[in-house]
Amino acid sequence: GQQVMQIPQYQHVQEGEDFTTYCNSSTTLSNIQWYKQRPGGHPVFLIQLVKSGEVKKQKRLTFQFGEAKKNSSLHITATQTTDVGTYFCAGLDNQGGKLIFGQGTELSVKP
Amino acid sequence: DGGITQSPKYLFRKEGQNVTLSCEQNLNHDAMYWYRQDPGQGLRLIYYSQIVNDFQKGDIAEGYSVSREKKESFPLTVTSAQKNPTAFYLCASSIGTGLDTEAFFGQGTRLTVV
């Protein structure tokens, strides 16, 4: 079945350093979504990308969707302690209906 | 307040017992999902439903059952056939399954089977 792989599984950074997580799908995706889950919380939607090659920014966060619509990345510039949590990508399969999540990247930020 | 509610937050059951997790939404969403979260494994799809009275198996449906008799409710039963049921269960809903479909999650139910 369709798989969405995400790397790295863990990332430890010093506050102020940049952070990137990568997402790859085994098949072409209709869209890619990104979520953040704070420790002890539930996933919260951040953004959705639909178009091939799309790039979107939210303050220090930059999201990209690959040209082939099979990969995506989230980049955080100058991390802050408030960025701590697990970041998930999720893709809607081509047949629609199934929202498949990657394994997530757990980010820890040392002050 | 509009939202998606899971209950209870913590649940303890003895091995061999079936248990039902509640998920209710008042967002008028057509699509609902159940995910299981284990450390290091992300969110794995158990079942999903695109419309009332219809649902499909996800990647790890064995040992679970669902129903969708009402649009706002999508309960998940963890049966005694589920070999490793202790986990964090998350319910989500979205408007539909078209392209513009952010998922809203409940607070989750942490199930412990002893």
Side-chain angles (χ1 to χ4, degrees):
Chain A
Q2 180 181 10
Q3 288 188 319
V4 177
M5 308 299 292
Q6 197 173 346
I7 56 168
Q9 189 173 350
Y10 303 98
Q11 185 78 55
H12 309 284
V13 301
Q14 193 77 32
E15 190 172 21
E17 291 181 340
D18 291 356
F19 159 77
T20 304
T21 173
Y22 301 91
C23 184
N24 288 285
S25 170
S26 57
T27 59
T28 302
L29 298 168
S30 299
N31 65 16
I32 193 86
Q33 300 177 6
W34 285 93
Y35 293 78
K36 177 182 178 180
Q37 184 178 24
R38 294 184 186 276
H42 59 279
V44 174
F45 177 83
L46 293 176
I47 206 161
Q48 175 174 275
L49 304 170
V50 178
K51 298 176 185 174
S52 169
E54 190 170 11
V55 177
K56 286 188 176 180
K57 292 192 175 186
Q58 288 180 348
K59 297 182 180 178
R60 295 177 295 104
L61 277 63
T62 302
F63 305 84
Q64 292 187 320
F65 199 10
E67 294 290 340
K69 300 183 76 173
K70 294 178 73 173
N71 62 289
S72 181
S73 65
L74 157 60
H75 179 81
I76 302 179
T77 303
T79 55
Q80 300 175 358
T81 55
T82 53
D83 295 326
V84 164
T86 301
Y87 292 85
F88 292 98
C89 63
L92 197 63
D93 73 351
N94 280 335
Q95 283 116 27
K98 287 178 71 172
L99 187 60
I100 305 296
F101 280 77
Q103 297 93 328
T105 296
E106 185 178 339
L107 172 65
S108 64
V109 180
K110 188 175 181 182
Chain B
D1 279 344
I4 180 164
T5 302
Q6 288 185 245
S7 61
K9 191 171 182 180
Y10 299 96
L11 191 55
F12 295 87
R13 278 295 182 269
K14 290 185 178 179
E15 195 171 338
Q17 290 182 332
N18 291 355
V19 59
T20 297
L21 280 57
S22 169
C23 179
E24 303 278 332
Q25 54 98 0
N26 60 5
L27 300 167
N28 200 33
H29 285 173
D30 285 317
M32 295 188 75
Y33 308 85
W34 273 105
Y35 293 92
R36 170 181 171 140
Q37 186 171 30
D38 297 283
Q41 297 197 49
L43 303 176
R44 292 185 291 167
L45 183 63
I46 304 173
Y47 269 97
Y48 64 104
S49 169
Q50 299 175 319
I51 200 166
V52 175
N53 292 322
D54 187 43
F55 49 82
Q56 282 80 40
K57 293 181 179 181
D59 299 318
I60 56 165
E62 186 175 349
Y64 299 97
S65 66
V66 293
S67 63
R68 188 84 188 276
E69 296 176 2
K70 298 186 295 182
K71 187 176 186 177
E72 57 270 23
S73 179
F74 192 39
L76 173 75
T77 297
V78 184
T79 75
S80 56
Q82 167 52 231
K83 292 185 181 2
N84 187 17
T86 294
F88 187 49
Y89 291 88
L90 285 159
C91 179
S93 70
S94 67
I95 291 174
T97 54
L99 288 183
D100 191 13
T101 54
E102 89 177 72
F104 293 80
F105 281 84
Q107 300 289 327
T109 293
R110 193 166 296 278
L111 173 65
T112 303
V113 175
V114 297

